[in-house]
Amino acid sequence: MTRRFLPFIAALLSLILLSSPAFAQDEASWDKQFQTQIREWMDAIASRDPQFKQWEDAKTDVQTLGAGQHQWLVSIKKAEKQVGYLVIGEAPDSTSHEKFVLLEYGVGEYILFDDAFAPKEIAAEPVYDGFASYWLITQKSDTQMVNAKTGEMYPTSFQISEPTVDAFAGEQLIQNGQRLTQMRILSAAEADPFDHIGWVSQMNSTDTDVSWNQLWQQNYTSPVTLAVPIHQSQVLAPFVVGSLHLWNDQNAYVGVWDEGLRFVPYSYAHRVGRFFVNETSSPAE
């Protein structure tokens, strides 16, 4: 058999596999589990956190993020208006009983990878990496990144970092069947991190570190700021912490203001960034 026939045979075998009843059944089963999980998480959040009230009876649309990444963006709309999103991943050790994990979720009009901010170039590919998420534009030998939340185009000189989202520990992420059990609001209104700049003077200090217990238990009279260096520290992204979520009383997520509330795992936020308190806080009573 000559090698020039191999691509044709491989394509033919793939077509046979895709059209087989077993494959169709597996695909239908996977999709049913996926859609059920989406609705369970949406209901769990909307029923526990009033900031997500708009999610009740909202419609969803799913798109794949990146090639072969096993990540999906779920766009959430109500009355034709964007009201939030989920970013869902598939755990690498998934078996026939799929195990999905919730990488990120947010509420508001502006979502990740919003079509309104999408580059017009055909070669733009969405790449999810937490706060460092971007569209990748490939033109001839050059590559360029566009911020997935704001549409800001970075200089072509910027270097792409190794993805940090791959290092998420599965046990620290929301998984199948988990419920939002506790929540706390630190800043109910959207805030600009530069309205209180006490955190800037703390950037060079090595002894500033805010644990989850401190975030959860203490009262703050001024905003808590999360500062995240991204793209090999070529960009500093500061956010005001708005809310805290605790799933199954153990998996912690931090919600920051970023054109709406954006929730990521505390373990991830603490690893890639630093939390700063602008003034002395007092213990909760």
Side-chain angles (χ1 to χ4, degrees):
M1 181 184 297
T2 58
R3 293 183 62 184
R4 62 194 178 95
F5 290 113
L6 291 178
F8 171 76
I9 294 174
L12 181 60
L13 289 174
S14 298
L15 181 61
I16 293 173
L17 175 62
L18 291 172
S19 61
S20 68
F23 181 86
Q25 184 177 7
D26 289 344
E27 185 177 31
S29 176
W30 185 95
D31 186 65
K32 182 179 180 180
Q33 292 179 54
F34 186 69
Q35 294 296 335
T36 297
Q37 187 58 73
I38 290 174
R39 185 54 57 182
E40 285 182 358
W41 280 333
M42 286 178 59
D43 291 345
I45 296 171
S47 64
R48 191 71 180 82
D49 189 338
Q51 298 172 111
F52 289 79
K53 187 73 174 177
Q54 301 173 84
W55 281 21
E56 294 180 349
D57 302 319
K59 296 182 179 180
T60 61
D61 182 66
V62 180
Q63 72 177 73
T64 302
L65 295 178
Q69 297 301 308
H70 298 278
Q71 297 167 350
W72 298 268
L73 172 69
V74 180
S75 171
I76 304 173
K77 291 184 177 182
K78 191 166 188 177
E80 302 305 318
K81 180 182 178 181
Q82 196 76 57
V83 294
Y85 68 95
L86 308 169
V87 178
I88 297 177
E90 189 176 46
D93 58 347
S94 295
T95 61
S96 56
H97 299 289
E98 306 299 345
K99 184 169 72 174
F100 300 108
V101 290
L102 191 48
L103 300 174
E104 179 176 330
Y105 54 97
V107 64
E109 182 180 354
Y110 301 104
I111 69 171
L112 281 179
F113 302 105
D114 195 321
D115 289 341
F117 299 116
K120 305 307 178 184
E121 289 81 357
I122 298 176
E125 177 186 359
V127 179
Y128 178 72
D129 189 24
F131 290 125
S133 298
Y134 58 92
W135 280 285
L136 180 64
I137 302 172
T138 303
Q139 293 178 319
K140 296 181 180 179
S141 59
D142 294 329
T143 59
Q144 190 168 21
M145 296 180 292
V146 177
N147 188 295
K149 196 71 162 67
T150 66
E152 176 187 1
M153 184 170 289
Y154 296 123
T156 54
S157 60
F158 275 24
Q159 299 297 311
I160 299 175
S161 302
E162 287 295 319
T164 56
V165 70
D166 293 338
F168 280 150
E171 65 273 9
Q172 296 175 321
L173 297 175
I174 303 167
Q175 301 182 10
N176 304 41
Q178 294 190 351
R179 293 289 182 267
L180 177 57
T181 49
Q182 299 183 59
M183 64 159 291
R184 184 185 181 202
I185 296 177
L186 272 64
S187 177
E190 184 150 9
D192 188 327
F194 294 102
D195 286 345
H196 296 80
I197 59 173
W199 60 271
V200 176
S201 61
Q202 301 178 53
M203 289 289 294
N204 294 326
S205 174
T206 58
D207 59 358
T208 56
D209 185 40
V210 181
S211 68
W212 171 259
N213 286 337
Q214 289 175 306
L215 282 177
W216 187 259
Q217 296 175 2
Q218 294 185 355
N219 291 327
Y220 299 99
T221 56
S222 64
V224 177
T225 301
L226 170 64
V228 184
I230 59 176
H231 303 310
Q232 298 187 12
S233 298
Q234 296 167 112
V235 177
L236 180 65
F239 309 95
V240 173
V241 177
S243 298
L244 307 174
H245 281 176
L246 199 58
W247 291 74
N248 276 27
D249 294 327
Q250 59 182 3
N251 290 338
Y253 278 62
V254 177
V256 300
W257 287 109
D258 184 20
E259 300 293 339
L261 269 178
R262 182 177 182 181
F263 284 80
V264 297
Y266 169 79
S267 58
Y268 160 74
H270 191 252
R271 181 168 64 248
V272 301
R274 293 171 64 191
F275 290 92
F276 298 97
V277 182
N278 285 286
E279 65 179 33
T280 303
S281 60
S282 59
E285 297 180 358

